[in-house]
């Protein structure tokens, strides 16, 4: 990817949409491209923050590890998403780990360069606060789900969110049962068991990695029953 390609990715990400072409070019010249393979670690929780990443292509998972080695996925970020905005601002360490969920191309902007750009263009800082705020709301939702709902309800919620994101009732899983388990805070066996139960009840259809929501209202009613 050349500098013009890097400039297009920076602008498409949204954080830098207010910058002029000259300013985007200036930032692109200080941005490095990193190609990573599936499973490659970008940074680990507790490491000093070196800078901010933007996903040009592929997907990156943000996760935390429990003391017993169990992984919980906080988010899967795709093309156009930024990663590690908060520690860039507060100067702290990375609060979670990040790894490539698949082969990906990432843009990296050093902490010093990004902070300098924010000082010159406060509107960038406001956009970052909006991103951080959305992430905080998502984390609050994760805490509520883990604290107050069953694996069944967390799986139903995950399936409905995925269907809404796809804009249709039929979609292909891009994650195996273990990866889904990591996202909803459980183990693979319980994901498989609950998918089978939902299918037996006629709420969904499972054909390999393809899921079809047969009764969205029934799934939503199941969720509403815990409120």
């Amino acid at each position: 990817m050349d500098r013009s390609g890097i400039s297009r990715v920076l602008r498409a990400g949204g954080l830098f949409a207010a910058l002029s072409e000259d300013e985007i070019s200036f930032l692109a010249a200080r941005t490095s491209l990193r190609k990573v393979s599936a499973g490659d670690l970008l940074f680990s929780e507790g490491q000093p923050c070196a800078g901010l990443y933007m996903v040009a292509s592929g997907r990156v998972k943000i996760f935390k590890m429990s003391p017993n080695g169990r992984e919980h996925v906080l988010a899967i970020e795709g093309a156009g998403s930024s990663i590690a905005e908060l520690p860039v601002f507060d100067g702290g360490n990375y609060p979670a780990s990040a790894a490539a969920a698949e082969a990906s191309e990432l843009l990296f902007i050093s902490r010093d360069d990004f902070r300098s750009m924010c000082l010159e263009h406060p509107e960038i800082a406001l956009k970052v606060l909006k991103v951080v705020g959305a992430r905080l709301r998502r984390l609050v939702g994760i805490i509520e789900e883990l604290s107050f709902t069953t694996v069944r309800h967390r799986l139903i919620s995950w399936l409905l969110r995925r269907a809404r994101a796809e804009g249709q009732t039929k979609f292909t899983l891009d994650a195996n049962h273990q990866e889904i388990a990591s996202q909803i805070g459980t183990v693979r066996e319980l994901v498989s068991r609950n998918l089978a139960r939902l299918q037996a009840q006629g709420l969904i259809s499972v054909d390999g990695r393809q899921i079809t929501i047969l009764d969205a209202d029934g799934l939503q009613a199941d969720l509403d029953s815990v409120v």
Side-chain angles (χ1 to χ4, degrees):
M1 184 185 297
D2 58 16
R3 290 299 173 192
S4 62
I6 291 176
S7 295
R8 285 194 298 272
V9 173
L10 289 173
R11 185 173 295 285
L15 288 181
F16 309 109
L19 300 186
S20 68
E21 289 301 325
D22 287 343
E23 289 165 337
I24 285 286
S25 296
F26 178 84
L27 183 59
R30 288 156 177 77
T31 299
S32 60
L33 175 66
R34 300 184 180 183
K35 296 183 179 182
V36 294
S37 301
D40 285 355
L41 192 66
L42 306 185
F43 52 80
S44 297
E45 178 181 354
Q47 285 184 338
C49 176
L52 172 135
Y53 290 87
M54 291 192 68
V55 183
S57 65
R59 296 183 307 139
V60 171
K61 67 175 179 179
I62 314 299
F63 64 97
K64 293 181 76 72
M65 297 292 291
S66 69
N68 63 5
R70 183 166 156 184
E71 176 185 286
H72 186 84
V73 177
L74 302 177
I76 301 287
E77 301 293 354
S81 298
S82 53
I83 299 169
E85 309 89 349
L86 182 59
V88 166
F89 269 121
D90 69 12
N93 298 332
Y94 290 116
S97 301
E102 59 189 49
S104 305
E105 289 187 320
L106 308 170
L107 302 186
F108 177 78
I109 306 169
S110 74
R111 179 174 175 269
D112 289 342
D113 284 338
F114 186 72
R115 285 172 64 90
S116 295
M117 188 62 67
C118 288
L119 288 174
E120 293 181 22
H121 300 276
E123 64 273 19
I124 295 177
L126 291 175
K127 290 185 178 181
V128 171
L129 287 175
K130 185 176 180 180
V131 171
V132 172
R135 293 234 171 94
L136 177 59
R137 289 181 182 275
R138 185 189 307 168
L139 290 174
V140 170
I142 289 173
I143 292 170
E144 289 178 343
E145 284 193 344
L146 291 175
S147 300
F148 304 120
T149 63
T150 64
V151 171
R152 173 187 173 91
H153 290 109
R154 296 201 296 274
L155 180 59
I156 289 174
S157 181
W158 188 92
L159 290 169
L160 290 176
R161 285 198 304 270
R162 179 60 189 273
R164 285 194 293 269
E166 295 285 341
Q168 55 187 4
T169 57
K170 180 182 289 187
F171 55 88
T172 300
L173 294 176
D174 52 14
N176 58 38
H177 290 184
Q178 178 57 54
E179 292 170 331
I180 295 172
S182 296
Q183 294 183 51
I184 66 173
T186 186
V187 295
R188 178 182 58 81
E189 291 79 8
L190 288 180
V191 169
S192 301
R193 190 181 306 165
N194 279 277
L195 283 173
R197 287 175 177 170
L198 293 174
Q199 180 170 233
Q201 292 170 333
L203 296 169
I204 66 173
S205 171
V206 182
D207 183 9
R209 295 176 79 90
Q210 189 172 79
I211 302 288
T212 302
I213 304 295
L214 300 177
D215 186 357
D217 290 340
L219 290 173
Q220 187 61 54
D222 203 315
L223 281 184
D224 294 341
S225 68
V226 303
V227 176

